[in-house]
Amino acid sequence: MPGIDKTALRHAATVVLWRQQAGGSVQVLMGQRGDKAAFMPSKYVFPGGAVDSADADVVLADGLPAACALRLQVDTAIAPETLAAAAIRELWEETGLALGVSGTWAAPPPPDEGYDWAGFAARGLVPCAAAMQFIFRAITPPGRSRRFDARFFLVPATQIPGDIDDFSAASDELSHLHWIDLAATRSLDLPFITEVVLAEVAAVLRDGPASGGVPFFDNSSNRPLFRRLV
């Protein structure tokens, strides 16, 4: 968008959508960034991206679980609902899958300024964050062409209305969108942080949320820190 300094640290949100196959294996939804992308070219990633100012104006049908909302408020001023709305919008734009419930918007969708909330509403759906589980936070190290303070949300595909194999409404930001077995993701060209998140996804799905809190790779300064948000 015009006027945005894309080299500055920006809030971001990502959805790790998962489903369980009849045989018990778990699959996650991933796509490939373009080879000309300024950030992580050609890498396989989850749907996600930077928060837009209009995301703060979106009224969710249901908010985040209380524990997730509290952890999202640690060491930041951005509202949890804004992060959830951004994650839902990015999922919708990049995959054509709408995380929402049937209903009428409390206020008209934000105007289309390159973001497609109107298309979401046109399906008769209101964004819903009730099934979103905050599992990871990471800040991109200094010196990168793009820097994000990214939050990762784990979401079961059962919460998506419609055909979860239909990507016909997706933008062209991610190619090769497909469901892949969790165990097979290591064969993809992945960013380091995505590998770490995938390990956390496997642990959460196997054992439940970590008792020590949400992992946080904090690279806000030149001295990297790892801690947990409790």
PDB file of all heavy atoms in Angstrom, residues 15-20 26-29 133 154-158 164 179 201 205:
ATOM      1  N   VAL A  15      -1.962 -18.018   9.638  1.00  0.00           N
ATOM      2  CA  VAL A  15      -2.831 -19.137   9.993  1.00  0.00           C
ATOM      3  C   VAL A  15      -2.180 -20.453   9.580  1.00  0.00           C
ATOM      4  O   VAL A  15      -1.778 -20.621   8.425  1.00  0.00           O
ATOM      5  CB  VAL A  15      -4.213 -19.016   9.315  1.00  0.00           C
ATOM      6  CG1 VAL A  15      -5.025 -20.291   9.522  1.00  0.00           C
ATOM      7  CG2 VAL A  15      -4.981 -17.823   9.882  1.00  0.00           C
ATOM      8  N   VAL A  16      -2.075 -21.364  10.534  1.00  0.00           N
ATOM      9  CA  VAL A  16      -1.663 -22.741  10.252  1.00  0.00           C
ATOM     10  C   VAL A  16      -2.943 -23.578  10.263  1.00  0.00           C
ATOM     11  O   VAL A  16      -3.452 -23.951  11.323  1.00  0.00           O
ATOM     12  CB  VAL A  16      -0.658 -23.262  11.287  1.00  0.00           C
ATOM     13  CG1 VAL A  16      -0.198 -24.671  10.904  1.00  0.00           C
ATOM     14  CG2 VAL A  16       0.526 -22.313  11.426  1.00  0.00           C
ATOM     15  N   LEU A  17      -3.476 -23.811   9.073  1.00  0.00           N
ATOM     16  CA  LEU A  17      -4.714 -24.572   8.944  1.00  0.00           C
ATOM     17  C   LEU A  17      -4.374 -26.057   8.862  1.00  0.00           C
ATOM     18  O   LEU A  17      -3.492 -26.450   8.104  1.00  0.00           O
ATOM     19  CB  LEU A  17      -5.463 -24.120   7.691  1.00  0.00           C
ATOM     20  CG  LEU A  17      -6.953 -24.421   7.595  1.00  0.00           C
ATOM     21  CD1 LEU A  17      -7.725 -23.684   8.681  1.00  0.00           C
ATOM     22  CD2 LEU A  17      -7.479 -24.011   6.218  1.00  0.00           C
ATOM     23  N   TRP A  18      -5.066 -26.879   9.665  1.00  0.00           N
ATOM     24  CA  TRP A  18      -4.741 -28.309   9.669  1.00  0.00           C
ATOM     25  C   TRP A  18      -6.012 -29.155   9.584  1.00  0.00           C
ATOM     26  O   TRP A  18      -7.108 -28.711   9.927  1.00  0.00           O
ATOM     27  CB  TRP A  18      -3.964 -28.681  10.937  1.00  0.00           C
ATOM     28  CG  TRP A  18      -4.772 -28.601  12.220  1.00  0.00           C
ATOM     29  CD1 TRP A  18      -5.026 -27.489  12.963  1.00  0.00           C
ATOM     30  CD2 TRP A  18      -5.425 -29.688  12.886  1.00  0.00           C
ATOM     31  NE1 TRP A  18      -5.804 -27.797  14.057  1.00  0.00           N
ATOM     32  CE2 TRP A  18      -6.059 -29.145  14.039  1.00  0.00           C
ATOM     33  CE3 TRP A  18      -5.539 -31.063  12.625  1.00  0.00           C
ATOM     34  CZ2 TRP A  18      -6.795 -29.940  14.928  1.00  0.00           C
ATOM     35  CZ3 TRP A  18      -6.278 -31.836  13.510  1.00  0.00           C
ATOM     36  CH2 TRP A  18      -6.886 -31.275  14.647  1.00  0.00           C
ATOM     37  N   ARG A  19      -5.816 -30.371   9.091  1.00  0.00           N
ATOM     38  CA  ARG A  19      -6.915 -31.331   9.038  1.00  0.00           C
ATOM     39  C   ARG A  19      -6.358 -32.729   9.283  1.00  0.00           C
ATOM     40  O   ARG A  19      -5.178 -32.996   9.058  1.00  0.00           O
ATOM     41  CB  ARG A  19      -7.620 -31.287   7.684  1.00  0.00           C
ATOM     42  CG  ARG A  19      -6.800 -31.808   6.501  1.00  0.00           C
ATOM     43  CD  ARG A  19      -7.580 -31.679   5.207  1.00  0.00           C
ATOM     44  NE  ARG A  19      -6.847 -32.202   4.050  1.00  0.00           N
ATOM     45  CZ  ARG A  19      -7.287 -32.115   2.791  1.00  0.00           C
ATOM     46  NH1 ARG A  19      -8.434 -31.516   2.533  1.00  0.00           N
ATOM     47  NH2 ARG A  19      -6.570 -32.616   1.792  1.00  0.00           N
ATOM     48  N   GLN A  20      -7.229 -33.614   9.746  1.00  0.00           N
ATOM     49  CA  GLN A  20      -6.828 -35.000  10.012  1.00  0.00           C
ATOM     50  C   GLN A  20      -7.446 -35.909   8.970  1.00  0.00           C
ATOM     51  O   GLN A  20      -8.642 -35.842   8.679  1.00  0.00           O
ATOM     52  CB  GLN A  20      -7.244 -35.433  11.415  1.00  0.00           C
ATOM     53  CG  GLN A  20      -6.643 -36.761  11.846  1.00  0.00           C
ATOM     54  CD  GLN A  20      -6.713 -36.955  13.341  1.00  0.00           C
ATOM     55  OE1 GLN A  20      -7.616 -36.466  14.011  1.00  0.00           O
ATOM     56  NE2 GLN A  20      -5.746 -37.680  13.890  1.00  0.00           N
ATOM     57  N   VAL A  26      -1.976 -36.111   9.939  1.00  0.00           N
ATOM     58  CA  VAL A  26      -2.340 -34.698   9.965  1.00  0.00           C
ATOM     59  C   VAL A  26      -1.738 -33.998   8.757  1.00  0.00           C
ATOM     60  O   VAL A  26      -0.576 -34.226   8.408  1.00  0.00           O
ATOM     61  CB  VAL A  26      -1.845 -34.032  11.263  1.00  0.00           C
ATOM     62  CG1 VAL A  26      -1.980 -32.517  11.191  1.00  0.00           C
ATOM     63  CG2 VAL A  26      -2.608 -34.573  12.457  1.00  0.00           C
ATOM     64  N   GLN A  27      -2.525 -33.154   8.114  1.00  0.00           N
ATOM     65  CA  GLN A  27      -2.054 -32.346   7.006  1.00  0.00           C
ATOM     66  C   GLN A  27      -2.177 -30.866   7.351  1.00  0.00           C
ATOM     67  O   GLN A  27      -3.083 -30.458   8.090  1.00  0.00           O
ATOM     68  CB  GLN A  27      -2.859 -32.628   5.737  1.00  0.00           C
ATOM     69  CG  GLN A  27      -2.678 -34.032   5.181  1.00  0.00           C
ATOM     70  CD  GLN A  27      -3.409 -34.218   3.871  1.00  0.00           C
ATOM     71  OE1 GLN A  27      -4.476 -33.654   3.652  1.00  0.00           O
ATOM     72  NE2 GLN A  27      -2.847 -35.023   2.973  1.00  0.00           N
ATOM     73  N   VAL A  28      -1.266 -30.064   6.796  1.00  0.00           N
ATOM     74  CA  VAL A  28      -1.332 -28.614   6.946  1.00  0.00           C
ATOM     75  C   VAL A  28      -1.365 -27.989   5.553  1.00  0.00           C
ATOM     76  O   VAL A  28      -0.912 -28.588   4.567  1.00  0.00           O
ATOM     77  CB  VAL A  28      -0.135 -28.061   7.744  1.00  0.00           C
ATOM     78  CG1 VAL A  28      -0.227 -28.487   9.192  1.00  0.00           C
ATOM     79  CG2 VAL A  28       1.196 -28.491   7.132  1.00  0.00           C
ATOM     80  N   LEU A  29      -1.920 -26.783   5.471  1.00  0.00           N
ATOM     81  CA  LEU A  29      -2.045 -26.085   4.202  1.00  0.00           C
ATOM     82  C   LEU A  29      -0.864 -25.129   4.020  1.00  0.00           C
ATOM     83  O   LEU A  29      -0.618 -24.276   4.880  1.00  0.00           O
ATOM     84  CB  LEU A  29      -3.360 -25.303   4.154  1.00  0.00           C
ATOM     85  CG  LEU A  29      -3.640 -24.533   2.859  1.00  0.00           C
ATOM     86  CD1 LEU A  29      -3.744 -25.477   1.671  1.00  0.00           C
ATOM     87  CD2 LEU A  29      -4.918 -23.709   2.992  1.00  0.00           C
ATOM     88  N   GLN A 133      -6.072 -20.699  17.830  1.00  0.00           N
ATOM     89  CA  GLN A 133      -5.192 -20.979  18.965  1.00  0.00           C
ATOM     90  C   GLN A 133      -3.823 -20.341  18.708  1.00  0.00           C
ATOM     91  O   GLN A 133      -3.120 -20.706  17.763  1.00  0.00           O
ATOM     92  CB  GLN A 133      -5.037 -22.488  19.163  1.00  0.00           C
ATOM     93  CG  GLN A 133      -4.197 -22.870  20.366  1.00  0.00           C
ATOM     94  CD  GLN A 133      -4.100 -24.376  20.533  1.00  0.00           C
ATOM     95  OE1 GLN A 133      -4.686 -25.148  19.765  1.00  0.00           O
ATOM     96  NE2 GLN A 133      -3.376 -24.809  21.535  1.00  0.00           N
ATOM     97  N   LEU A 154      -3.055 -21.584  15.133  1.00  0.00           N
ATOM     98  CA  LEU A 154      -3.417 -22.934  14.694  1.00  0.00           C
ATOM     99  C   LEU A 154      -4.939 -23.024  14.634  1.00  0.00           C
ATOM    100  O   LEU A 154      -5.631 -22.691  15.605  1.00  0.00           O
ATOM    101  CB  LEU A 154      -2.855 -23.950  15.692  1.00  0.00           C
ATOM    102  CG  LEU A 154      -2.962 -25.432  15.328  1.00  0.00           C
ATOM    103  CD1 LEU A 154      -2.185 -25.745  14.062  1.00  0.00           C
ATOM    104  CD2 LEU A 154      -2.442 -26.287  16.489  1.00  0.00           C
ATOM    105  N   VAL A 155      -5.444 -23.476  13.472  1.00  0.00           N
ATOM    106  CA  VAL A 155      -6.895 -23.502  13.248  1.00  0.00           C
ATOM    107  C   VAL A 155      -7.287 -24.823  12.593  1.00  0.00           C
ATOM    108  O   VAL A 155      -6.718 -25.192  11.551  1.00  0.00           O
ATOM    109  CB  VAL A 155      -7.346 -22.335  12.341  1.00  0.00           C
ATOM    110  CG1 VAL A 155      -8.852 -22.402  12.088  1.00  0.00           C
ATOM    111  CG2 VAL A 155      -6.971 -20.994  12.950  1.00  0.00           C
ATOM    112  N   PRO A 156      -8.269 -25.555  13.154  1.00  0.00           N
ATOM    113  CA  PRO A 156      -8.730 -26.782  12.489  1.00  0.00           C
ATOM    114  C   PRO A 156      -9.556 -26.462  11.255  1.00  0.00           C
ATOM    115  O   PRO A 156     -10.397 -25.554  11.261  1.00  0.00           O
ATOM    116  CB  PRO A 156      -9.579 -27.459  13.572  1.00  0.00           C
ATOM    117  CG  PRO A 156     -10.026 -26.352  14.473  1.00  0.00           C
ATOM    118  CD  PRO A 156      -8.940 -25.318  14.444  1.00  0.00           C
ATOM    119  N   ALA A 157      -9.336 -27.200  10.185  1.00  0.00           N
ATOM    120  CA  ALA A 157     -10.034 -26.944   8.928  1.00  0.00           C
ATOM    121  C   ALA A 157     -11.530 -27.197   9.038  1.00  0.00           C
ATOM    122  O   ALA A 157     -12.294 -26.731   8.184  1.00  0.00           O
ATOM    123  CB  ALA A 157      -9.443 -27.811   7.823  1.00  0.00           C
ATOM    124  N   THR A 158     -11.956 -27.892  10.075  1.00  0.00           N
ATOM    125  CA  THR A 158     -13.395 -28.121  10.288  1.00  0.00           C
ATOM    126  C   THR A 158     -14.145 -26.806  10.505  1.00  0.00           C
ATOM    127  O   THR A 158     -15.378 -26.771  10.406  1.00  0.00           O
ATOM    128  CB  THR A 158     -13.620 -29.034  11.497  1.00  0.00           C
ATOM    129  OG1 THR A 158     -12.910 -28.502  12.633  1.00  0.00           O
ATOM    130  CG2 THR A 158     -13.120 -30.446  11.225  1.00  0.00           C
ATOM    131  N   ILE A 164     -12.830 -27.259   1.410  1.00  0.00           N
ATOM    132  CA  ILE A 164     -11.491 -26.831   1.826  1.00  0.00           C
ATOM    133  C   ILE A 164     -10.416 -27.223   0.813  1.00  0.00           C
ATOM    134  O   ILE A 164      -9.231 -26.929   1.028  1.00  0.00           O
ATOM    135  CB  ILE A 164     -11.126 -27.373   3.220  1.00  0.00           C
ATOM    136  CG1 ILE A 164     -11.189 -28.906   3.250  1.00  0.00           C
ATOM    137  CG2 ILE A 164     -12.014 -26.763   4.277  1.00  0.00           C
ATOM    138  CD1 ILE A 164     -10.683 -29.493   4.563  1.00  0.00           C
ATOM    139  N   TRP A 179      -2.490 -29.262   0.500  1.00  0.00           N
ATOM    140  CA  TRP A 179      -2.429 -29.905   1.802  1.00  0.00           C
ATOM    141  C   TRP A 179      -1.293 -30.923   1.776  1.00  0.00           C
ATOM    142  O   TRP A 179      -1.188 -31.701   0.842  1.00  0.00           O
ATOM    143  CB  TRP A 179      -3.747 -30.612   2.110  1.00  0.00           C
ATOM    144  CG  TRP A 179      -4.911 -29.687   2.300  1.00  0.00           C
ATOM    145  CD1 TRP A 179      -5.809 -29.293   1.346  1.00  0.00           C
ATOM    146  CD2 TRP A 179      -5.285 -29.035   3.503  1.00  0.00           C
ATOM    147  NE1 TRP A 179      -6.725 -28.433   1.883  1.00  0.00           N
ATOM    148  CE2 TRP A 179      -6.446 -28.269   3.210  1.00  0.00           C
ATOM    149  CE3 TRP A 179      -4.777 -29.040   4.800  1.00  0.00           C
ATOM    150  CZ2 TRP A 179      -7.082 -27.496   4.187  1.00  0.00           C
ATOM    151  CZ3 TRP A 179      -5.413 -28.276   5.772  1.00  0.00           C
ATOM    152  CH2 TRP A 179      -6.549 -27.517   5.457  1.00  0.00           C
ATOM    153  N   VAL A 201       3.716 -27.059  16.039  1.00  0.00           N
ATOM    154  CA  VAL A 201       2.399 -27.572  15.631  1.00  0.00           C
ATOM    155  C   VAL A 201       2.286 -29.051  15.972  1.00  0.00           C
ATOM    156  O   VAL A 201       1.275 -29.496  16.551  1.00  0.00           O
ATOM    157  CB  VAL A 201       2.190 -27.354  14.115  1.00  0.00           C
ATOM    158  CG1 VAL A 201       0.970 -28.129  13.623  1.00  0.00           C
ATOM    159  CG2 VAL A 201       2.025 -25.872  13.812  1.00  0.00           C
ATOM    160  N   LEU A 205      -0.470 -30.474  18.680  1.00  0.00           N
ATOM    161  CA  LEU A 205      -1.496 -31.438  18.267  1.00  0.00           C
ATOM    162  C   LEU A 205      -1.347 -32.778  18.990  1.00  0.00           C
ATOM    163  O   LEU A 205      -2.325 -33.484  19.213  1.00  0.00           O
ATOM    164  CB  LEU A 205      -1.435 -31.643  16.755  1.00  0.00           C
ATOM    165  CG  LEU A 205      -1.846 -30.433  15.904  1.00  0.00           C
ATOM    166  CD1 LEU A 205      -1.686 -30.754  14.421  1.00  0.00           C
ATOM    167  CD2 LEU A 205      -3.275 -30.002  16.206  1.00  0.00           C
TER     168      LEU A 205
END
